[in-house]
Amino acid sequence: MNTIQMLVGLANPGPEYQKTRHNAGAWFIEELATRYNCTLKPDAKHHGLTGKVIIGDSEFKLLIPTTYMNLSGKSVASLANFYKIPVEHILVAHDEMDLEPGIAKLKKGGGHGGHNGLKDIIAKMANNKEFMRLRIGIGHPGHRDKVTGWVLGKAPQADQEKIDAAVDEAVRCMDILAKDGVLKAQNRLHSFKP
């Protein structure tokens, strides 16, 4: 039923970025690891923090690249190639400006929408865009000149609580994804209201 084998959370490495909006993908992986008692370990070979969790009957490789956002593909391609995981069986969690805080959506394929992490993953996976995305809403600053400061800034507490709630719901939906497949997980996640 479930075809996803690898879950990736995009982020920038280092404590100064930990709480910034751009790291929303990593918050999802960290929360998942916590919930399933997995310790993420630095893995120099794959340029990231790696681990694995068993949900239902499915094993998921976990990865948070530690390469900086615009080189995320190096880490993703390394782990995927090592375990021979096809692009279609990878789910990448990332911050999404087109969605408001408190909203998270699952989607298959698509472009990179200007997201440097997705851009690099697509490039390093031979331009195959068919991986699943978990888009975690962070809202938009309103003007493209403000985007960098926005994604590398910290959300105000009210927004952060909504983002955390959406991440928490997305983690719960992985249980559904593992047991009943992507569509059911999608239906549940897309009806979530923070």
Side-chain angles (χ1 to χ4, degrees), residues 94 107 109-114 118-119 122 129 131 133:
H94 64 89
K107 156 184 170 183
H112 54 69
L118 295 179
K119 204 183 280 186
I122 292 166
K129 305 182 179 89
F131 51 91
R133 295 99 189 278

Side-chain angles (χ1 to χ4, degrees), residues 96-104 136-140 159 162-163 166:
E96 175 60 76
M97 285 191 297
D98 292 341
L99 299 174
E100 287 304 307
I103 309 281
I136 300 166
I138 59 164
H140 198 287
D159 280 2
K162 288 180 186 163
I163 296 168

Side-chain angles (χ1 to χ4, degrees), residues 86-92 107-113 118-119 121-133:
V87 175
E88 297 77 15
H89 296 192
I90 299 171
L91 182 147
V92 177
K107 156 184 170 183
K108 184 170 170 62
H112 54 69
L118 295 179
K119 204 183 280 186
I121 292 170
I122 292 166
K124 299 283 195 303
M125 302 304 261
N127 285 324
N128 186 336
K129 305 182 179 89
E130 291 308 303
F131 51 91
M132 289 288 304
R133 295 99 189 278

Side-chain angles (χ1 to χ4, degrees), residues 9 11-14 41-44 46-50 63-69 71-72 75:
N12 278 308
K41 296 186 173 72
D43 186 334
H46 300 303
H47 320 285
L49 300 170
T50 60
L63 172 67
I64 299 175
T66 49
T67 51
Y68 283 101
M69 190 61 83
L71 298 172
S72 300
S75 176

